[in-house]
Amino acid sequence: MTIHPTAIVAPEAKIASDVEIGPYSIVGPDVTLSAGVRLLSHVVVEGATTLGEGCVVHPFANLGGPPQHLGHKGERTELLIGPRNIIREHVTMHTGTASGKGVTTIGSDGLYMVGSHVAHDCSVGDFVVLAKGATLGGHVAIGDYVFMGGLAAAHQFSRIGRYSFIGGLAAVTKDVIPYGSVWGNHAHLEGLNLVGLKRRGFSRETINALRAAYRLMFADEGTFQERLEDVAEIHAGNPEVMEIVDFIRADANRPLCLPEREV
């Protein structure tokens, strides 16, 4: 364990034997730092916060601060960060709320660029990238392999499906289907995240099936519900297409990002 003499570390904190805590960092009493964690300098880790193995946290990040929620009365809530995340300068991640899930969860192997923010009660998957200044409101749920562009923002309670792409400066106020690509203010669906799918090694057959399902689902004929049922029937054996169908069916009360219609 390496702790710089200028760092302030509560004796109650649970710290693995090979953790590195850099200059002027502060570690609170209810913090757990797992094996291989590195706090480079000027990092604040407070609240009931756990950092998974191998996380690297850059200067001036604040992890585990209380939620920005007027209903929060100081209850003990948590922030759980999975292994091998890279957390860059000025990133903020807050604990949950007692009226919500009580915990904010971050998956593994993510990259959180300068000034990005994860609010209370969010659930973030594995291999997620939040570019510079990207912001998640409270209770946002993000699936694995999502890329969120610089200065984009997701409204509270939004759902963002796996492998989707959020363009820079996008204002996401509606749910984003898995494999989707959205941008704009307010954000609208621009198609599938084809670049991301190819980079992640999805087969040509899978991509073609997703494209066919997308064209049918967002066609002009019939109602959206009718088209959704047609997609589910035609592509019942395709797990990627059915992931989109199941995502939409899981919360029919949530508005969905849709393609813009020509006037």
Side-chain angles (χ1 to χ4, degrees):
M1 188 187 304
T2 303
I3 301 177
H4 194 274
T6 61
I8 300 174
V9 180
E12 301 90 344
K14 300 178 179 65
I15 302 174
S17 60
D18 61 348
V19 165
E20 298 178 20
I21 301 176
Y24 301 101
S25 295
I26 300 174
V27 178
D30 205 2
V31 168
T32 298
L33 303 180
S34 304
V37 167
R38 297 170 60 209
L39 311 182
L40 298 188
S41 77
H42 299 83
V43 174
V44 176
V45 187
E46 57 181 313
T49 298
T50 297
L51 266 72
E53 295 182 1
C55 286
V56 178
V57 187
H58 288 248
F60 305 105
N62 183 295
L63 308 177
Q68 297 177 127
H69 191 291
L70 292 175
H72 182 69
K73 305 301 180 185
E75 302 92 344
R76 185 185 186 277
T77 54
E78 296 182 84
L79 169 64
L80 302 179
I81 301 174
R84 299 177 302 279
N85 287 290
I86 298 173
I87 299 171
R88 294 300 303 261
E89 298 84 353
H90 297 281
V91 168
T92 50
M93 297 179 176
H94 292 165
T95 61
T97 59
S99 59
K101 297 186 300 182
V103 60
T104 302
T105 57
I106 308 292
S108 68
D109 302 284
L111 171 58
Y112 298 85
M113 298 189 197
V114 174
S116 55
H117 173 66
V118 179
H120 60 85
D121 302 293
C122 285
S123 174
V124 180
D126 301 333
F127 299 97
V128 167
V129 176
L130 296 190
K132 176 178 171 60
T135 298
L136 305 182
H139 311 274
V140 170
I142 290 189
D144 300 338
Y145 294 98
V146 168
F147 186 100
M148 192 164 182
L151 301 175
H155 191 272
Q156 63 182 356
F157 293 101
S158 296
R159 297 182 303 146
I160 300 176
R162 295 195 315 150
Y163 293 96
S164 58
F165 176 86
I166 311 300
L169 296 170
V172 181
T173 60
K174 301 174 182 179
D175 291 351
V176 179
I177 60 172
Y179 314 104
S181 178
V182 305
W183 61 79
N185 186 357
H186 289 17
H188 58 272
L189 196 60
E190 280 285 342
L192 295 170
N193 182 17
L194 296 176
V195 173
L197 292 172
K198 292 173 183 176
R199 286 177 177 173
R200 295 296 177 185
F202 282 77
S203 69
R204 182 184 297 273
E205 292 75 18
T206 296
I207 292 174
N208 286 340
L210 285 167
R211 295 179 72 175
Y214 181 94
R215 286 193 294 268
L216 175 56
M217 189 177 299
F218 298 108
D220 291 326
E221 298 79 15
T223 68
F224 180 76
Q225 189 59 42
E226 290 170 343
R227 298 193 301 269
L228 184 66
E229 296 306 319
D230 288 342
V231 168
E233 181 178 349
I234 294 170
H235 298 278
N238 185 291
E240 288 79 16
V241 172
M242 290 308 299
E243 182 176 350
I244 298 175
V245 173
D246 293 340
F247 177 92
I248 295 169
R249 286 173 170 173
D251 193 347
N253 294 320
R254 286 284 309 164
L256 196 67
C257 278
L258 299 172
E260 282 192 321
R261 299 297 183 191
E262 295 184 2
V263 179

